[in-house]
Amino acid sequence: MVSTTKEDLARARAILDEGGLVAIPTETVYGLAARAFDARAVASIFERKGRPRFDPLIVHVAEVGELGRVARSRPAAVDLLADRFWPGPLTLVLPKAEEVPALVSAGLDSVGVRVPDHPLTRELLSAVGPLAAPSANRFGRVSPTTVEHVRAELGEEPEGPFVLDGGPCRTGLESTVLSLLDDRPRLLRPGGVTLEELEAVLGPVESGVTPATEAPESPGQLASHYAPRTPIVPVTEAELAGRARPEAGLLCLRRPPSVEGWGVVEELSATGDLVEAASRLFAALHRLDASGLMEIAVLPVPEEGLGRAIADRLRRAAVRTRTS
Ligand code: TXA
Ligand code: MG
């Protein structure tokens, strides 16, 4: 029995408005949601999930009319697909609108969007606007399809998030992720909408294609990640003075005592707060990458909490720029 009341919805709304997280029901699986335009709230999703790296999140909207707030263009196929499959388990990858924080899409220039098919969540979305939400499980675990699963995964309140009880999820399998970035639609993750159903609407869809830039290290993670073009070089504090030059940028959690000689310095959080740092990481990398530097030196971040995800992302960026 679902016993969700108007008060529960109002509470969910208040928590989200204040930058908090709420576990929301969808027809596929429960999601752990934050307001999509609140970079700091989005960063705390990764912290709650214990995700050791940043993966792009899906943005949920109340209806197709809201797309313009999160996507900067609307390929022709969108209307066909929305008519047929929304609300429902289909996520479309589209060019990202500037206002969507970079962390939502892990630095990519695209954004995954869908209209979920659950009355409670759609009511919430109409009230608070777009919500970014991954599945509400801890990293590496199975997606939750009941309120009990969510509580077992993320804890009971107050440690765990408030869960909006929408009953068991109908589909119980995540959404299909389809990229509309290229001429031909590309299946990135199989899910609730089948390839056959998509092809009946669109004609041929590319599938089983893994972008060469990304090994399929875990199912559903076939997206190519943003990699800066400027070489990333890990440095220690002791090496700073020797490496500083006008053609080099420095990325750090907190500004070291002296930053003399660096072309550009990006400090992620003046107080050393890892949630704030995570929410700024990709935007900082983009700014550095656009500054015409010869290299970006990166100081270590503490490998705890979100620091592990930040460090992982920076390590991967360093390897990527070294080999490509
Ligand atoms: O059914 C679902 O999709 C559930 C509910 C809560 O909506 N959400 C979900 O989220 O499964 P998550 O974070 O566990 O999986 C999101 C998938 C990942 O495979 C991610 O790589 C892909 O969507 N994705 C999101 N944005 C993307 C983008 N801009 N480009 C490529 N892939 C993207
Ligand atoms: Mg997941």
Side-chain angles (χ1 to χ4, degrees):
M1 260 297 284
V2 179
S3 54
T4 299
T5 60
K6 284 277 166 219
E7 286 72 42
D8 292 328
L9 264 174
R11 179 147 180 246
R13 183 181 177 172
I15 293 170
L16 291 165
D17 278 341
E18 282 162 24
L21 306 184
V22 172
I24 56 166
T26 81
E27 79 284 24
T28 59
V29 301
Y30 274 79
L32 184 62
R35 290 191 58 235
F37 299 115
D38 183 340
R40 212 188 148 111
V42 169
S44 65
I45 291 177
F46 292 96
E47 188 185 45
R48 271 290 173 87
K49 279 187 64 110
R51 222 179 222 194
R53 59 164 206 249
F54 300 117
D55 293 318
L57 303 179
I58 294 170
V59 175
H60 300 72
V61 294
E63 48 169 323
V64 65
E66 293 269 279
L67 258 191
R69 296 181 67 187
V70 295
R72 69 171 184 275
S73 68
R74 187 163 163 158
V78 169
D79 291 304
L80 285 175
L81 292 166
D83 274 352
R84 173 76 176 76
F85 300 110
W86 280 356
L90 177 65
T91 295
L92 299 179
V93 175
L94 302 170
K96 184 177 89 61
E98 185 97 33
E99 296 72 35
V100 177
L103 184 58
V104 168
S105 58
L108 295 173
D109 190 33
S110 61
V111 64
V113 197
R114 80 181 190 99
V115 178
D117 189 9
H118 195 290
L120 279 177
T121 289
R122 289 185 74 196
E123 198 174 331
L124 188 62
L125 289 167
S126 306
V128 299
L131 293 174
S135 49
N137 49 283
R138 291 191 64 77
F139 174 73
R141 314 246 319 204
V142 177
S143 298
T145 55
T146 65
V147 172
E148 292 70 34
H149 291 167
V150 178
R151 295 205 176 112
E153 277 293 308
L154 301 176
E156 305 261 346
E157 282 188 278
E159 292 77 35
F162 174 60
V163 188
L164 195 59
D165 187 350
C169 301
R170 247 186 310 122
T171 307
L173 173 74
E174 291 96 336
S175 63
T176 299
V177 181
L178 182 74
S179 167
L180 296 181
L181 297 178
D182 313 314
D183 290 341
R184 191 181 268 210
R186 198 152 45 87
L187 185 71
L188 298 181
R189 177 178 76 177
V193 170
T194 65
L195 184 61
E196 290 78 2
E197 288 174 309
L198 290 173
E199 292 196 322
V201 172
L202 293 176
V205 169
E206 304 245 358
S207 62
V209 190
T210 304
T213 47
E214 181 80 0
E217 36 199 17
S218 67
Q221 301 306 335
L222 303 184
S224 121
H225 283 206
Y226 168 69
R229 278 177 307 252
T230 318
I232 304 262
V233 186
V235 296
T236 62
E237 287 231 13
E239 291 164 343
L240 281 181
R243 285 206 88 103
R245 52 198 170 99
E247 313 78 56
L250 177 65
L251 179 68
C252 49
L253 178 61
R254 303 178 78 165
R255 204 174 270 275
S258 165
V259 289
E260 213 176 307
W262 295 95
V264 185
V265 177
E266 286 281 354
E267 178 183 59
L268 294 174
S269 168
T271 58
D273 176 51
L274 291 169
V275 178
E276 179 181 38
S279 74
R280 293 183 170 171
L281 174 67
F282 289 105
L285 277 173
H286 275 286
R287 278 194 299 271
L288 285 163
D289 205 20
S291 299
L293 300 162
M294 298 298 290
E295 66 178 26
I296 301 167
V298 176
L299 277 171
V301 294
E303 301 234 6
E304 63 192 38
L306 277 190
R308 279 187 299 130
I310 296 172
D312 167 82
R313 192 62 194 76
L314 290 171
R315 260 194 302 276
R316 282 149 55 98
V319 171
R320 189 77 45 82
T321 50
R322 225 176 282 138
T323 55
S324 63

